[in-house]
Amino acid sequence: MNFIERESEVFFHTYKRFPLNIERGEGVYLFTKDGTRYLDIFAGLGVNALGYSHPKIIKAIHEQSGKYLHLSNYFLQEPQIQLAEVLTKLSGYPKVFFSNSGTEAIEGAMKLSRKWGSSKGKTEIVSFSNAFHGRTFGALSLMDNEKYKNGYEPFLQNCTSIEFNNGEQLRATVTETTLAVILEFIQGEGGVRPATQAFVNELKLLQEKFNFLVIADEIQAGLGRTGRVFSFQHYDIQPDVVVVAKPLGGGLPLGAILGNEKVAEIFTPGVHGTTFGGNPVACAAGLGTLREIFENGMMTNADTVGAHFKSELLKMKGEFPSLIKEVRGIGLMLGVELTFDGEPIVTAMREKRILINCTAQTVLRFLPPLIIQEQHVTETVSALREVLSSMSIL
Ligand SMILES: *Cc1c(COP(=O)(O)O)cnc(C)c1O
């Protein structure tokens, strides 16, 4: 049996995997066992913010793993405290809870807001179409896409999903009993869709009127990818709770909930917890990662290279008006909506040794490591141009 057959034999068939046998990664490149080099514009779905084998991350992991790999949250742990201090300083949010993953951080944020609302008669959580918040039942209860939900009913009650970027519908939905509104300010899996400023303005007005919590899911867009610490900072709003994960652990599993003063005292000993969350090795790797992003210029790089990338994609839209419907996104979170299924383009790009991904059927998604340089953008865009040219001839 070959590699692909062996995988198929032993796993539940939950993933459509790339047929590549990766041996190692370095910087923005992945290498297969047979020595082929791939440019990675995918970054482990946004996890690998510093690409592969970054010396600072390797060093941090090495040092911490020589001390202890795990103690449990009964113990005070230096790497956790350091990372939490960096996060609070960066974000201005005074409180942190560490989880293992994005979806767990979402569950934690839901529990935090439920507890906050329970003494106030607030029970309803509002979320939006095309949202993606994870795969656990709480997260799924906030999502409307049947692809993720079919057959798993029933979900949590008191969760309402309404149309994204529809301020009127939001106004008609929230009331005094609304406990939280949760959103990605730039939807990721849903097709790289930024919120409009008008919609966010409406949300802010309603937040002031009804005193619900705004929860920002920054798991994909947060921590420098859009050229700001958080994607909500492109808008004039201050969420109460912020959830981060993907790049937080530098490639090791780590998520976090950040909360403002409103919710700072809601969790008390024993009401929430985790065995593995805040793993010290992951925290040490995360600390190294955040230093590179925010102190050594990688967020600024995401901003400048991202702007260049987007302008190149917009040029291409002009060249292929019948194939490209829209170019969206901010910084290094970009999407190209096609007028047709994007999977064949992903495959054609892979044959040109460039890894991208397609989400929401028709949206090519570009989520490169933040260390990417202009030459890599040029390489990606020319390959895409060739692929689209060969299509438009057909
Ligand atoms: C990936 C993602 C999640 C889920 O994170 P997991 O670590 O896979 O549980 C939630 N929200 C957004 C916006 C994401 O991109």
Side-chain angles (χ1 to χ4, degrees), residues 338-355:
L338 302 169
T339 54
F340 56 95
D341 181 17
E343 262 330 309
I345 304 293
V346 171
T347 306
M349 288 293 279
R350 192 167 65 237
E351 281 158 9
K352 293 185 176 295
R353 312 280 183 256
I354 296 177
L355 304 177

Side-chain angles (χ1 to χ4, degrees), residues 45 100-104 106 132-135 184 186 188-189 217-221 245-246 365:
L45 279 167
N100 302 291
S101 66
T103 202
E104 280 173 87
I106 293 287
F132 185 86
H133 298 299
R135 302 286 193 159
E184 302 153 81
I186 306 175
E189 303 301 305
D217 180 345
E218 292 279 346
I219 291 171
Q220 190 167 136
K246 288 192 164 101
R365 182 168 44 169

Side-chain angles (χ1 to χ4, degrees), residues 1-7 9-10:
M1 277 197 291
N2 69 24
F3 200 55
I4 299 166
E5 290 162 349
R6 281 166 56 199
E7 192 271 351
E9 181 80 14
V10 292

Side-chain angles (χ1 to χ4, degrees), residues 115 265-273:
K115 222 173 190 30
E265 304 304 329
I266 297 299
F267 278 160
T268 51
V271 303
H272 190 54

